[in-house]
Amino acid sequence: MIKQESTSPILCIVGARPNFMKIAPIMRAFAAERLPAMLLHTGQHYDRDMNDTFFNDLGIPKPDFNLGVGSGSHTQQTAQIMLRVEPILNQLNPSAVLVVGDVNSTIACALVSVKQGIPIIHVESGLRSNDRTMPEEINRILTDQLSDLLFTTEPAALSNLQREGISPERVHLAGNVMIDTLHFNLPRAIPYRTTIEHLGIADSLPTLTEGYALLTLHRPSNVDNLETLESIVSTINQLALQLPFIFPMHPRTRDRLERFNLLGKLDNKRIITTPPQGYLQLLGLMKDSRIVLTDSGGIQEETTALGIPCLTLRENTERPITIHQGTNTLVGRNPELILRAFHQGLEPNPKRSEPPKHWDGKAAIRIAATVKAWLASLPQNNHNAPS
């Protein structure tokens, strides 16, 4: 006799754009395993147009719940999410709550879940920058401590978790669901020329026969300080003399550039600024570029999978495998180091290697199979155990 699956769903949480890329393959894999799942969007990322674009591009089902939290300080966002998610957990009584990544939605929903005795699954566990001034680092550490089942993207993550007292039995090396999304969507990536023609800026571009560099920039440590941002603008202007840049500008970055009177100092003949782009557009811009400069964690991983040189404009990274086994170089904000690494990245044979273990587009399949077996193994007297 086949054991009946639990009718109590897994509640999957998203809140910001990096979550969307991670949840898409998980929802597909859960459906394939016939694991009942529902999706809750906290609304931490509140740009409706960009939300719709990402959900449509990635094939994510419409959320079953949307908390509509919106902007605010870290404390305000976290508190509002906790207040609004609690009644939904009471109503739904899920078999588990699955959280991804390290945004405020991740820790907020994990905190409420553990208080209610609901098992927590954390995808992308164990990543550490060892920089506790980053709010994401605090979110990562605390979420891992609260979680019952932890999925990692790289072997070093297990060492981090063991050092923090987490039992290896709770940890599984699944691979990288961001790379699942990349593999799934790569054939659909929109070529850069299509994007710039759609924006109506093709006629005003510098010649791109030599290729171009892609720049993304949004972290407060890079854009909220006048001297830091001014130094980055100056460095990018120097680099743009060698290779044109395409710069999809985050709203926060545009606001700071305008506030500091730096927007006009970008070399507008060699640096093409655009509004924020959808996933398929950005993937095409990345795929077609010669080199990428970024402060994004996800882009460090995606460029490693694509074999494209990446310069990370940060002093540390929670994704060291992209440096040791990928195409990423940590350059911080040192102009001389950035210039030197940029030249090296444009050389005919920049560092390339095979993708890390399990970065093969099948991480979500492994996660779904493990979750299914884990739920079936929970004690029958657990209020959320499969019947």
Side-chain angles (χ1 to χ4, degrees):
M1 181 175 178
I2 298 175
K3 187 175 181 179
Q4 185 180 0
E5 295 294 336
S6 170
T7 57
S8 185
I10 301 165
L11 184 62
C12 300
I13 309 295
V14 294
R17 287 182 206 165
N19 296 165
F20 304 160
M21 278 85 88
K22 294 163 191 170
I23 209 67
I26 294 172
M27 297 298 287
R28 286 196 299 271
F30 280 0
E33 285 282 3
R34 301 183 69 182
L35 278 168
M38 299 181 78
L39 186 64
L40 182 147
H41 185 0
T42 67
Q44 178 180 331
H45 182 103
Y46 52 91
D47 184 321
R48 179 173 297 176
D49 290 339
M50 289 305 293
N51 274 347
D52 291 346
T53 297
F54 271 74
F55 272 69
N56 292 334
D57 284 353
L58 298 172
I60 304 171
K62 183 179 179 181
D64 299 282
F65 307 94
N66 194 323
L67 304 185
V69 169
S71 63
S73 69
H74 289 283
T75 300
Q76 290 169 334
Q77 267 192 345
T78 304
Q80 283 299 317
I81 294 167
M82 293 176 70
L83 288 169
R84 298 185 194 191
V85 80
E86 183 179 42
I88 293 173
L89 295 181
N90 288 333
Q91 166 196 335
L92 196 61
N93 192 29
S95 59
V97 167
L98 183 144
V99 294
V100 295
D102 53 20
V103 299
N104 290 337
S105 300
T106 303
I107 182 60
C109 292
L111 279 167
V112 179
S113 300
V114 75
K115 296 279 189 178
Q116 296 195 12
I118 300 169
I120 302 165
I121 304 165
H122 187 200
V123 175
E124 202 181 72
S125 295
L127 297 180
R128 298 291 181 268
S129 67
N130 298 310
D131 179 2
R132 294 204 179 193
T133 66
M134 294 177 63
E136 296 89 348
E137 183 80 351
I138 304 302
N139 293 345
R140 286 188 284 263
I141 292 169
L142 295 179
T143 302
D144 285 338
Q145 287 295 327
L146 300 177
S147 297
D148 300 273
L149 187 63
L150 301 91
F151 291 103
T152 61
T153 62
E154 57 178 89
L158 175 59
S159 300
N160 294 333
L161 294 169
Q162 286 182 284
R163 191 163 54 247
E164 294 167 8
I166 293 173
S167 169
E169 286 74 24
R170 292 157 54 194
V171 183
H172 300 262
L173 175 61
N176 194 328
V177 290
M178 285 279 286
I179 307 307
D180 288 16
T181 293
L182 184 146
H183 280 293
F184 185 81
N185 288 287
L186 201 54
R188 302 169 57 229
I190 297 174
Y192 83 91
R193 178 61 64 175
T194 302
T195 295
I196 59 180
E197 286 177 354
H198 176 74
L199 292 168
I201 57 175
D203 293 340
S204 61
L205 294 180
T207 175
L208 297 180
T209 55
E210 60 195 309
Y212 63 88
L214 175 66
L215 171 66
T216 78
L217 195 68
H218 75 282
R219 289 191 178 272
S221 57
N222 278 333
V223 304
D224 284 1
N225 178 273
L226 169 59
E227 290 183 359
T228 299
L229 188 55
E230 191 170 34
S231 174
I232 291 173
V233 167
S234 174
T235 304
I236 298 302
N237 280 335
Q238 291 181 62
L239 299 178
L241 296 174
Q242 303 169 59
L243 192 68
F245 272 71
I246 297 179
F247 182 11
M249 199 175 291
H250 190 281
R252 182 191 192 101
T253 306
R254 178 173 290 277
D255 174 78
R256 301 307 188 269
L257 286 167
E258 291 175 344
R259 184 183 302 179
F260 297 146
N261 295 316
L262 293 173
L263 190 58
K265 294 187 178 181
L266 287 169
D267 183 349
N268 60 13
K269 293 182 179 179
R270 302 285 293 177
I271 300 172
I272 306 155
T273 62
T274 77
Q277 297 299 301
Y279 178 77
L280 295 178
Q281 288 86 354
L282 188 60
L283 181 56
L285 289 172
M286 192 186 317
K287 176 180 70 70
D288 294 338
S289 69
R290 288 183 61 188
I291 190 169
V292 175
L293 283 75
T294 189
D295 56 9
S296 161
I299 289 178
Q300 295 173 53
E301 296 174 329
E302 290 166 329
T303 48
T304 284
L306 291 169
I308 295 171
C310 176
L311 308 186
T312 295
L313 305 172
R314 289 168 48 186
E315 301 299 332
N316 51 58
T317 179
E318 65 282 355
R319 293 163 168 86
I321 199 167
T322 63
I323 296 173
H324 304 143
Q325 200 173 326
T327 57
N328 187 23
T329 302
L330 200 64
V331 294
R333 303 171 191 90
N334 184 317
E336 291 184 5
L337 186 57
I338 295 170
L339 289 165
R340 185 164 63 249
F342 189 82
H343 296 151
Q344 292 171 348
L346 295 179
E347 290 175 358
N349 295 306
K351 63 175 185 174
R352 297 175 187 268
S353 64
E354 291 298 315
K357 182 179 180 181
H358 290 340
W359 288 30
D360 55 2
K362 300 177 182 178
I365 294 172
R366 286 185 281 268
I367 288 170
T370 302
V371 168
K372 188 172 186 178
W374 174 73
L375 285 174
S377 73
L378 292 179
Q380 294 302 302
N381 60 358
N382 185 299
H383 76 290
N384 287 317
S387 59

